Amino acid sequence: AFAMLVSSVNAYAPLKGVTVKSLSSGQDVDLGSYLSDGSASRNLLVLGTYAADFNAIEYAQRLRYYAPQLEKKCGVSKFGLVLNCEPEAATKLAEEVDLDTSKIEIFTDP
């Protein structure tokens, strides 16, 4: 998995045109647009593996634990997690690790 913190830079430009499906809305989302929402806020996106993969589970657990601290101490206001799986598997992972999906947006890329 890969995590990146973006703060008003063009580091997200290579993600323009890469679409994933939002677990909450079911809509396609362009990751470049998601990260460059026009605000000066900091955004964090974790690009994970399959939902049942140990590394993806570990990253989801760490995101659950550290998101409040990153929000408070580092000013991160948007959190996203991309998983290479079907929506049902992503939902199960979110339930198992107790991710706050009101603060952490989950995307799937089957």
Side-chain angles (χ1 to χ4, degrees):
F2 175 72
M4 64 182 180
L5 187 62
V6 180
S7 174
S8 301
V9 297
N10 290 328
Y12 51 80
L15 291 173
K16 288 239 184 257
V18 176
T19 57
V20 293
K21 191 166 293 290
S22 167
L23 190 61
S24 61
S25 71
Q27 299 295 315
D28 287 340
V29 175
D30 181 290
L31 288 179
S33 297
Y34 173 78
L35 290 171
S36 63
D37 60 6
S39 70
S41 65
R42 293 179 182 223
N43 304 321
L44 180 109
L45 181 67
V46 177
L47 302 175
T49 54
Y50 185 73
D53 180 69
F54 180 77
N55 290 322
I57 295 167
E58 285 284 311
Y59 274 98
Q61 288 173 326
R62 289 172 191 251
L63 187 55
R64 177 184 164 271
Y65 179 80
Y66 287 111
Q69 295 174 51
L70 288 166
E71 187 174 29
K72 182 188 254 184
K73 295 180 181 178
C74 302
V76 178
S77 62
K78 186 186 280 189
F79 297 90
L81 171 63
V82 179
L83 296 167
N84 185 4
C85 63
E86 296 297 326
E88 297 80 16
T91 299
K92 183 67 174 168
L93 173 64
E95 290 169 358
E96 291 297 321
V97 300
D98 196 27
L99 275 180
D100 182 354
T101 55
S102 68
K103 291 192 175 208
I104 301 168
E105 180 140 18
I106 300 174
F107 303 100
T108 58
D109 182 26

